[in-house]
Amino acid sequence: MEVEELLSLAVEAATAKKATDPVVLATVHLTPVFDYFLICSAQTKTQVRAIADHLREELAKAGLSLLHAEGVEEAAWILLDYGWLVVHIMLQRESDFYQLERLWHD
């Protein structure tokens, strides 16, 4: 699969579990550590976990290996690291406070 297809798959997997405000940011020219961010939010911790679980399943089916995950137990902010893609799934209040899209947008 091409990068664009994988990014679309990730967004579709997140929104299938009712993720809100999904944003994909290209960071390839900003850092050598990863190429893209997917940032989305949810209303409850249960929903944050459900989005993360579904993303993991769908991306695994597409052949992507999860390198690292953080925040799964707390579920206020889950980070999924696929190397070239880093996914942030946050409670809406966390998203509103940290505003990662604005931080990395420029």
Side-chain angles (χ1 to χ4, degrees):
M1 264 188 192
E2 297 292 323
V3 170
E4 293 82 15
E5 292 174 306
L6 290 169
L7 290 171
S8 291
L9 175 66
V11 170
E12 288 171 17
T15 56
K17 293 297 179 181
K18 308 294 189 228
T20 56
D21 306 320
V23 175
V24 175
L25 299 176
T27 56
V28 67
H29 300 295
L30 301 175
T31 177
V33 181
F34 48 85
D35 296 338
Y36 295 92
F37 265 165
L38 168 57
I39 304 167
C40 59
S41 54
Q43 298 302 314
T44 67
K45 289 183 177 187
T46 301
Q47 190 179 15
V48 169
R49 279 190 200 99
I51 294 165
D53 290 345
H54 191 62
L55 266 164
R56 289 171 74 161
E57 291 170 12
E58 293 302 309
L59 293 178
K61 288 179 192 174
L64 292 181
S65 297
L66 180 66
L67 301 177
H68 186 71
E70 289 189 23
V72 176
E73 293 298 318
E74 300 84 12
W77 181 343
I78 294 178
L79 179 139
L80 304 175
D81 181 0
Y82 288 92
W84 64 275
L85 171 65
V86 175
V87 179
H88 295 272
I89 309 159
M90 298 177 270
L91 285 173
Q92 189 63 53
R93 70 172 183 256
E94 305 291 326
S95 181
D96 292 344
F97 182 79
Y98 289 103
Q99 299 181 4
L100 290 182
E101 328 56 74
R102 291 187 65 211
L103 182 66
W104 284 90
H105 187 267
D106 293 336

